[in-house]
Structures are given as C-alpha cells and as structure tokens.
Amino acid sequence: MPVITSSYNPSFVFKNGHFATVYAGIWRKIADFTQKRERIDLPDADFLDLDWSFAQAATQKVAIIIHGLEGNAQRAYIQGSAKQFNKHGYDACAINLRGCSGETNRLFRSYHSGATEDLHAVVNHILTHKNYSEIYIKGFSLGGNLTLKYLGEHAKLPKEVKAGLAISVPCDLHSSLKQLLQLKNTAYAMRFKKHLVEKLKQKQKLYPDKISNDDIKKVVTLKDFDDIYTSRAHGFKDAIDYYTQCSCRQFLPHIKIPTLLLNAQNDSFLGEECYPYLEAENNPNFYFEISKYGGHVGYVGARNITYSEKRVINFLKELH
C-alpha cells in the first residue's frame, strides 16, 4: 500500500507516448495567465528567479512548482499547473532553477537533479517573508526527483510543508539516462544536449579557466555532459557517482507526509528501476500511481487541462 492503478484513458492519438510527450512539450499553450517575478538571493551569493501567480481570493496555501531538465517557469506544463492551483485556491510559486530564467547564474555551478539546497532555500524564503500556513511541493521530471529527494532526506520538514506531488519522475537517474541514450529517444537527447552545450559555452565565457574548448568538444552524449560538467561543478566523482547519490528512489522509504508520484508505463524516458512499487507498498505516506498512457509529462486532457493537473488537485482534496 498504496500502489494505485490509474484511470487515465486518453483519446486514441494521445495513447502514443511520443505524441503525448511532444504535444504537451511543444504545441500546448496556456492562455489568460500572468506571472509576477521575484528574485531571491541564495546563501552562496547566487540567485533564483521565482514566478508567482495568485488565487482570486487571499489564501494561506501556496504550491511550489519545479520544472524539468532545461525547462523554466514559462513552460506550458508549469503554467497549466499553476493556473489550476490558482483556480482551486492556491497561490503558485514556480521556481526557475539556476540559469533557467533567461539569465546565466553567477557561479560556476548551476542546477542538477539532486540540488535540494535550492528548494530548501525557497521554502525558507516563503516561511520567512510570506504569509502562508500550508506549503505543497510539485515537481516534474528532474523537478520531481528534487521534490521526492527533499521530502525523504530531511528527518524533520517544516510543519507547513503538507504534501508532495511528483510527475514523470526518473527515480533512478542512471536507469533513465540509459533510456535516453537509446535510439528511440535520439531526438529528445539531442535537444537536451544542444541546450546544455549552449549553456556550457556561456559558462566558459565567465569561467574560461574551468571549461576548455576540448571539454565542450567531448560532450557527445548526456552522460558526457554529466562527466565533464555536472559532476565537476557540483562535487561528484563522475556521472555515475552523481546519479547514485542524487536518485530519489533511495529516499522514498523516509517520506513522512502524503506524497503522490504519477508515472506512465509508456514514458520512454523511464527504465524499469524508475517504478518504485516496493517503496509504495511499504510506506503508507507514499502513493504511487501507474498509468498505462501519458508519455513524459504528457497526460493530455480535455479543455487544455491535463490529467496530472486534475489528479493532483483531487489528491489534495482527498487529504482534507
């Protein structure tokens, strides 16, 4: 308990995982939605940009939302999620991870799948400077790994953090990487690598002594990027050490607040190790829902509201 069989059953075309992934990632648009940006300083002298949106009436509830690899707070899956939170009485704080808000961050380091210190900083900022009594954390893909790791690695969370929500999460990072390096995911992997290499070139301008042209030329795969930059910039031995230390699956048994993970069987980014059945069966606080369809951060639904957006709101309603 509690492993949940999903009721998600989309129209025929969106049963295809790749089509659902691409449609949601590229073609979906969110209308009639505005965000207000706030910049916060981090303890290490870097910064984060937070994009806020608000419920119609004053509320004590806020949802922190975290994007995936090379995403940002303007992606449709973030804005769509924030819009639904606002509609149901929650303010929404969408985090742009370091270097993802349209401006290069200050330090040599950036963001990665296990950098929960930045999520911790946002939670502390909200508790110190805002007036909320309930905090909910929702992450997608890499942001979902961050969410679950954060919830499981702290022996005692702030009492205001009430629940966690995670969508399309690579719970085992090495397993997910091996999927992304397969032929079926070539287009996705090339897109990710292109964006990451462009950012590496920007970093090189700021830190020419730490990144050489040869380093950049050696980035052929996503694993190369993690060997050459992610591990070096964030204190890991190499890519495998990074994946091992930062995969959220090892932290799931320690989650002590109600938490929902929604992963699709036809998510081409996820390997077998990314489906934590045993952890859900042994932790009464951890709800793992497996859908047959959905792709990666897809879950296309009627009226431009995704199944995952509706499912999260219903999950929170069931808690009260």
Side-chain angles (χ1 to χ4, degrees):
M1 182 196 137
V3 175
I4 304 166
T5 301
S6 180
S7 63
Y8 178 57
N9 188 28
S11 59
F12 176 76
V13 67
F14 292 115
K15 285 181 165 66
N16 182 293
H18 291 294
F19 196 83
T21 301
V22 172
Y23 177 86
I26 296 177
W27 296 326
R28 186 188 182 206
K29 307 297 179 188
I30 305 299
D32 303 319
F33 182 75
T34 57
Q35 293 166 306
K36 181 179 180 181
R37 179 157 291 186
E38 176 188 20
R39 176 164 292 187
I40 66 171
D41 292 317
L42 296 170
D44 62 5
D46 214 337
F47 69 90
L48 284 179
D49 287 329
L50 311 177
D51 287 327
W52 288 84
S53 60
F54 302 96
Q56 285 190 334
T59 179
Q60 293 287 298
K61 300 185 291 186
V62 62
I64 297 171
I65 312 175
I66 315 168
H67 62 75
L69 181 66
E70 286 306 282
N72 56 55
Q74 282 64 59
R75 292 294 175 90
Y77 65 91
I78 299 294
Q79 292 192 334
S81 183
K83 189 173 183 179
Q84 288 305 305
F85 275 123
N86 297 160
K87 180 181 176 181
H88 289 89
Y90 300 74
D91 290 346
C93 172
I95 301 175
N96 296 276
L97 297 174
R98 299 192 197 210
C100 294
S101 64
E103 183 177 335
T104 304
N105 64 303
R106 298 172 187 141
L107 303 185
F108 180 59
R109 65 154 296 174
S110 57
Y111 73 99
H112 64 81
S113 297
T116 49
E117 64 272 17
D118 289 354
L119 175 53
H120 182 67
V122 173
V123 170
N124 282 345
H125 171 73
I126 289 173
L127 291 175
T128 304
H129 300 288
K130 310 293 181 181
N131 187 31
Y132 296 105
S133 60
E134 298 180 25
I135 297 175
Y136 302 86
I137 305 175
K138 181 180 183 181
F140 294 85
S141 194
L142 176 151
N145 188 83
L146 269 174
T147 298
L148 297 175
K149 179 175 179 282
Y150 171 79
L151 297 178
E153 72 184 356
H154 289 278
K156 189 175 183 181
L157 291 168
K159 67 181 187 304
E160 292 85 357
V161 178
K162 302 298 186 184
L165 311 144
I167 312 297
S168 301
V169 180
C171 298
D172 183 300
L173 297 172
H174 193 202
S175 173
S176 179
L177 171 88
K178 287 186 283 188
Q179 293 298 312
L180 281 167
L181 295 183
Q182 290 186 15
L183 184 62
K184 64 180 180 178
N185 286 319
T186 299
Y188 306 117
M190 288 178 63
R191 185 180 175 91
F192 284 136
K193 191 192 84 167
K194 178 184 176 183
H195 288 297
L196 291 167
V197 168
E198 284 302 316
K199 284 191 174 178
L200 198 56
K201 290 176 180 177
Q202 293 172 21
K203 281 286 180 201
Q204 185 187 35
K205 293 176 183 178
L206 296 173
Y207 297 94
D209 57 323
K210 293 187 176 183
I211 304 170
S212 68
N213 289 330
D214 284 342
D215 286 334
I216 294 173
K217 289 176 184 177
K218 290 176 183 175
V219 180
V220 178
T221 70
L222 293 174
K223 181 177 180 295
D224 296 332
F225 179 84
D226 290 333
D227 273 321
I228 289 166
Y229 173 72
T230 309
S231 58
R232 191 186 303 174
H234 301 97
F236 303 104
K237 295 176 185 175
D238 53 23
I240 299 300
D241 182 46
Y242 158 52
Y243 304 146
T244 301
Q245 290 198 46
C246 293
S247 293
C248 71
R249 186 165 185 171
Q250 62 198 300
F251 300 97
L252 300 180
H254 309 297
I255 290 177
K256 295 181 175 65
I257 62 172
T259 298
L260 173 69
L261 167 63
L262 174 61
N263 277 355
Q265 289 178 351
N266 71 345
D267 186 336
S268 67
F269 291 21
L270 305 184
E272 182 180 346
E273 294 82 3
C274 295
Y275 297 87
Y277 291 94
L278 186 62
E279 289 81 355
E281 290 169 354
N282 291 325
N283 184 347
N285 299 306
F286 177 55
Y287 297 77
F288 178 33
E289 179 171 333
I290 310 100
S291 58
K292 186 174 182 180
Y293 309 109
H296 190 73
V297 193
Y299 292 105
V300 179
R303 299 183 300 280
N304 202 28
I305 302 171
T306 68
Y307 172 78
S308 60
E309 289 161 4
K310 291 187 288 187
R311 182 68 184 90
V312 159
I313 297 298
N314 288 334
F315 179 78
L316 295 180
K317 286 179 179 177
E318 291 165 4
L319 299 180
H320 294 93

